[in-house]
Amino acid sequence: MKSLIILLSGLFIAQSAIASADIEVIHPYVQVSKPNELSAPVYAQIVNNSNKDRVLVSATSTAATKTELYDQVSRGGTDSDRKAPFFTIPAQNTLQLSQDTSYIQLIGLVKPLEKNKHIQLTLNFKNGEQLTLRVPITIVVTDIMHQKAKMDQ
């Protein structure tokens, strides 16, 4: 009986490992454009290697008091961001998280994010699976003086 329980436990662990291999996150990063920001977007490519659509329903991070999913939509030639209830990652396909499409927003940063440091981010899927990532922080300077200097080079 004990052997059967160990065998079944091993099969369960093996199935969990296979299921988590279905989702792959490529080049995740948090982008901060100035010191002491209160929020920051997370970008990445989320690859669904399975034969079933996967649905990302939320994300959590200890780096922020709240984490939300956002889509960018165009209306009358103007782009705006809206809170999304979920992201669907089609089977055998990739969801691109970028400033021009969808992204994860960290809101209420608990402390300033520093370049060359990391945050922990957990992706929560509709099927109950969770995927925890170590996400590097990238600082991007976007003020007018630096943009002009960069363009003059």
Side-chain angles (χ1 to χ4, degrees), residues 92-122:
Q92 298 294 315
N93 215 320
T94 300
L95 172 67
Q96 180 69 46
L97 299 180
S98 73
Q99 63 188 17
D100 298 325
T101 57
S102 303
Y103 58 94
I104 298 169
Q105 185 74 16
L106 302 174
I107 301 169
L109 296 174
V110 295
K111 66 180 184 178
L113 300 180
E114 300 175 40
K115 185 177 182 177
N116 299 323
K117 300 275 182 163
H118 293 80
I119 66 156
Q120 184 172 317
L121 181 73
T122 300

